[in-house]
Amino acid sequence: MISRPPRTSEPTAAEASAWADVLVRRQLLHAAVLTPTGQWLVQNRPDGPVRVLTGPADVVALAATIQHHTRTMRPEIR
């Protein structure tokens, strides 16, 4: 796998919102809601606990973790 260079800036609210939207639409998260304080409420399953993420960097990190997990768990397609 090709490694990417490290980020040079913090993720923006718009980037976090885009990732949250993709994760929910692809049903990798049940819900992701931005609060007025800038925190995010995320829920993996409808009956699961709600987690509080402190900001955009946490949402992007969650997206990266989910993406890594889905890529390493699926069978290799050739």
Side-chain angles (χ1 to χ4, degrees):
M1 184 185 297
I2 299 171
S3 63
R4 295 183 181 194
R7 290 185 70 107
T8 57
S9 63
E10 286 294 311
T12 64
E15 182 180 4
S17 182
W19 275 112
D21 186 50
V22 167
L23 293 172
V24 171
R25 275 193 283 131
R26 298 281 183 173
Q27 298 179 348
L28 298 169
L29 281 180
H30 173 69
V33 178
L34 176 61
T35 69
T37 63
Q39 294 177 320
W40 286 83
L41 305 177
V42 297
Q43 190 176 27
N44 290 345
R45 298 179 320 275
D47 59 345
V50 175
R51 292 188 294 159
V52 178
L53 304 181
T54 59
D58 288 342
V59 175
V60 172
L62 176 62
T65 299
I66 291 171
Q67 188 176 41
H68 176 76
H69 179 75
T70 58
R71 286 184 176 179
T72 58
M73 296 304 290
R74 69 179 175 198
E76 193 66 33
I77 300 171
R78 292 187 184 221

